[in-house]
Amino acid sequence: MAGKTYGIRTYGCQMNVHDSERLAGLLETAGYERAADGSTPDVVVFNTCAVRENADNRLYGNLGQMRPVKTANPGMQIAVGGCLAQKDRGEIARRAPWVDVVFGTHNIGSLPVLLERARHNGEAQVEIKEALEVFPSSLPTRRDSAYSAWVSISVGCNNTCTFCIVPSLRGTEQDRRPADVLGEIRALVDEGVLEVTLLGQNVNSYGVEFGDRQAFGKLLRACGAIDGLERVRFTSPHPRDFTDDVIAAMAETSNVCHQLHMPLQSGSDAVLKRMRRSYRSERFLGIVENVRAAMPDAALTTDVIVGFPGETEEDFQSTVDVMRAARFASAYTFQYSQRPGTPAATLPDQVPKAVVQERYERLVSCQEQISWAENRALVGRRVELLISAGEGRKDAGTGRMTGRARDGRLCHVAPYGGVRPGDVVETVVTYAAPHHLVADGLLLSHRRTRAGDASEPRRGVPLGMPSVRPRTPVTSEQE
Ligand code: SF4
């Protein structure tokens, strides 16, 4: 497809961000080029999310806006993939007949062929698979960052949380073998990557498919043996399966960051039961206590749903109490929304929107105070930052760059000449805001990295863009 350009719009979770990097890799392997910012691509891909109520409205709204654009660019092709495509299937082509391709979460590798077939046959191609064809991780990739990478360790989920549509769209859990995951990480480090985030809907049950309940802790420890890998993060864990061997692996493996994003969802045991979360608040707080005992500097963050069907004021107060006890560095707070196709959508006692909104505002303000107090406690502390591209672009007003601390916190740093995205600096926190830190003082050290070199502007090469990495050879289970 020499000369043809593409653009990808990604919605939803990190798994979709990971998959979009694979879609980009596939298209570039097929000869497409990434469209320049502001230009109209020849191929537009929507990688959709189905988690929130308005996900459908947003997609069909966007597709509606694309219709006149396509009319003005007859050769343009539109493709829709991701969880909403897996759910709505042919309905998308029926409601938006100007869409050329609909593909699902289990066959992202089919995109280039489906585009070709649609062009050749002059009709829309809808291809949805019920089971995974190949692990997306084995497909070519085009990563957005030179220094940080998403590495999926499993796809799908065996849990049945009543508010969640993921298992019905991504299937039951399938685990990549450790040697395969570690092989990919070593290849990334060889390319200059400093930080990896291990991805799974429930990373703690990693290994269930090949019968090793301690596989996730072992994987973290194995990451510790990879020279050049400086930071290991992971998402999402599940409190029911979060075991002491994982806490020990985090505490005893030097490159595993002391950062834990563990979804609480609710602090009320009655609500957790209706959510079918398989743990209660006491267990959740017990994990928090054990993590803090093993890693006193750890930053914990979480997800919370406000207004789940049947939630009383007392239930809500239980959530506030748990968040006060857990002292999260930050929290993603969501207002419950009925998701057709989930058991919770038909539960009685749906909470009125006004009540949900009022509780949501109370919870956000409560957490804001906690986040701010936790951040203020870090003023005067030495902090190591990995300077980020995008986040790290110079703030027009202050010229500041931004970096991530090992505990995941965002920190704005004073402008220093020669510091590039991908470099590592050490400095001291001088100010704390509710959602970020500031280090306006002296730079204690600046380490230029290969990733930083890769982010240096070069003639004809987009900033910080590593080349397309070919298909990862699937290694057999050595261990
Ligand atoms: S653990 Fe629950 S919320 Fe998370 S993906 Fe699985 S079913 Fe959904």
Side-chain angles (χ1 to χ4, degrees), residues 157 159-161 163-167 201-202 238 265 277:
C157 184
N159 294 315
T160 56
C161 305
F163 55 82
C164 184
I165 201 161
V166 170
Q201 305 292 354
N202 175 5
H238 193 294
Q265 304 299 8
R277 290 287 289 171

CSV table of all heavy atoms in Angstrom, one decimal, residues 157 159-161 163-167 201-202 238 265 277, ligand 1:
chain,number,residue,atom,x,y,z
A,157,CYS,N,-10.4,-12.7,30.7
A,157,CYS,CA,-10.5,-12.8,32.1
A,157,CYS,C,-11.5,-13.9,32.5
A,157,CYS,O,-12.5,-14.1,31.9
A,157,CYS,CB,-11.1,-11.4,32.6
A,157,CYS,SG,-11.2,-11.3,34.4
A,159,ASN,N,-12.9,-13.9,35.6
A,159,ASN,CA,-13.8,-13.4,36.6
A,159,ASN,C,-15.2,-13.0,36.0
A,159,ASN,O,-15.3,-12.9,34.8
A,159,ASN,CB,-13.2,-12.2,37.3
A,159,ASN,CG,-12.0,-12.6,38.1
A,159,ASN,OD1,-12.0,-13.6,38.8
A,159,ASN,ND2,-10.9,-11.9,37.9
A,160,THR,N,-16.1,-12.8,36.8
A,160,THR,CA,-17.5,-12.5,36.3
A,160,THR,C,-18.1,-11.3,37.1
A,160,THR,O,-19.2,-11.3,37.5
A,160,THR,CB,-18.4,-13.7,36.5
A,160,THR,OG1,-18.4,-14.0,37.9
A,160,THR,CG2,-18.0,-14.9,35.7
A,161,CYS,N,-17.3,-10.2,37.2
A,161,CYS,CA,-17.8,-9.0,37.9
A,161,CYS,C,-19.1,-8.6,37.2
A,161,CYS,O,-19.1,-8.4,36.0
A,161,CYS,CB,-16.8,-7.9,37.9
A,161,CYS,SG,-15.2,-8.5,38.6
A,163,PHE,N,-20.7,-5.9,36.8
A,163,PHE,CA,-20.7,-4.6,36.0
A,163,PHE,C,-19.9,-4.6,34.8
A,163,PHE,O,-19.9,-3.7,34.0
A,163,PHE,CB,-20.3,-3.4,36.9
A,163,PHE,CG,-18.9,-3.7,37.5
A,163,PHE,CD1,-17.7,-3.4,36.7
A,163,PHE,CD2,-18.7,-4.2,38.7
A,163,PHE,CE1,-16.5,-3.6,37.2
A,163,PHE,CE2,-17.4,-4.4,39.3
A,163,PHE,CZ,-16.3,-4.1,38.5
A,164,CYS,N,-19.2,-5.8,34.5
A,164,CYS,CA,-18.1,-5.8,33.5
A,164,CYS,C,-18.5,-6.6,32.3
A,164,CYS,O,-19.0,-7.7,32.4
A,164,CYS,CB,-16.8,-6.3,34.1
A,164,CYS,SG,-15.5,-6.2,32.9
A,165,ILE,N,-18.2,-6.0,31.1
A,165,ILE,CA,-18.5,-6.7,29.9
A,165,ILE,C,-17.3,-7.3,29.2
A,165,ILE,O,-17.4,-8.1,28.3
A,165,ILE,CB,-19.2,-5.7,28.9
A,165,ILE,CG1,-20.0,-6.4,27.8
A,165,ILE,CG2,-18.1,-4.8,28.3
A,165,ILE,CD1,-21.0,-5.5,27.1
A,166,VAL,N,-16.1,-7.1,29.9
A,166,VAL,CA,-14.9,-7.6,29.3
A,166,VAL,C,-14.8,-9.1,29.0
A,166,VAL,O,-14.5,-9.5,27.9
A,166,VAL,CB,-13.7,-7.1,30.1
A,166,VAL,CG1,-12.4,-7.8,29.7
A,166,VAL,CG2,-13.5,-5.6,30.1
A,167,PRO,N,-15.2,-9.9,30.0
A,167,PRO,CA,-15.1,-11.4,29.7
A,167,PRO,C,-15.9,-11.8,28.5
A,167,PRO,O,-15.4,-12.7,27.7
A,167,PRO,CB,-15.6,-12.0,31.0
A,167,PRO,CG,-15.4,-11.0,32.0
A,167,PRO,CD,-15.6,-9.7,31.4
A,201,GLN,N,-5.9,-8.4,32.1
A,201,GLN,CA,-7.1,-8.0,32.8
A,201,GLN,C,-7.0,-8.3,34.3
A,201,GLN,O,-7.6,-7.6,35.1
A,201,GLN,CB,-8.3,-8.7,32.2
A,201,GLN,CG,-8.5,-8.6,30.7
A,201,GLN,CD,-8.9,-7.1,30.3
A,201,GLN,OE1,-9.1,-6.3,31.1
A,201,GLN,NE2,-8.8,-6.9,29.0
A,202,ASN,N,-6.3,-9.4,34.6
A,202,ASN,CA,-6.1,-9.8,36.0
A,202,ASN,C,-4.7,-10.5,36.1
A,202,ASN,O,-4.6,-11.7,36.0
A,202,ASN,CB,-7.2,-10.8,36.5
A,202,ASN,CG,-6.9,-11.3,37.9
A,202,ASN,OD1,-5.9,-10.9,38.5
A,202,ASN,ND2,-7.7,-12.3,38.3
A,238,HIS,N,-5.8,-8.1,40.9
A,238,HIS,CA,-7.1,-8.4,41.5
A,238,HIS,C,-7.0,-8.8,42.9
A,238,HIS,O,-6.2,-9.7,43.2
A,238,HIS,CB,-7.9,-9.5,40.7
A,238,HIS,CG,-9.3,-9.6,41.0
A,238,HIS,ND1,-9.8,-9.9,42.3
A,238,HIS,CD2,-10.4,-9.3,40.2
A,238,HIS,CE1,-11.1,-9.9,42.2
A,238,HIS,NE2,-11.5,-9.5,41.0
A,265,GLN,N,-13.1,-0.8,43.8
A,265,GLN,CA,-14.5,-0.7,43.3
A,265,GLN,C,-15.5,-0.3,44.3
A,265,GLN,O,-16.3,0.6,44.0
A,265,GLN,CB,-14.9,-2.0,42.6
A,265,GLN,CG,-14.0,-2.5,41.5
A,265,GLN,CD,-13.8,-1.5,40.3
A,265,GLN,OE1,-14.3,-0.4,40.4
A,265,GLN,NE2,-13.1,-1.9,39.3
A,277,ARG,N,-17.2,-9.5,43.4
A,277,ARG,CA,-15.8,-9.2,43.4
A,277,ARG,C,-15.0,-10.3,44.2
A,277,ARG,O,-13.8,-10.2,44.2
A,277,ARG,CB,-15.5,-7.8,43.9
A,277,ARG,CG,-15.9,-6.7,43.0
A,277,ARG,CD,-15.1,-6.6,41.8
A,277,ARG,NE,-13.8,-6.1,42.1
A,277,ARG,CZ,-12.8,-6.0,41.2
A,277,ARG,NH1,-13.0,-6.5,39.9
A,277,ARG,NH2,-11.6,-5.6,41.5
B,1,SF4,S1,-11.6,-8.7,36.9
B,1,SF4,FE1,-13.8,-8.1,36.8
B,1,SF4,S2,-13.7,-6.0,36.2
B,1,SF4,FE2,-11.7,-6.8,35.7
B,1,SF4,S3,-11.8,-7.5,33.5
B,1,SF4,FE3,-12.3,-9.2,34.8
B,1,SF4,S4,-14.6,-9.2,35.0
B,1,SF4,FE4,-13.9,-7.2,34.3
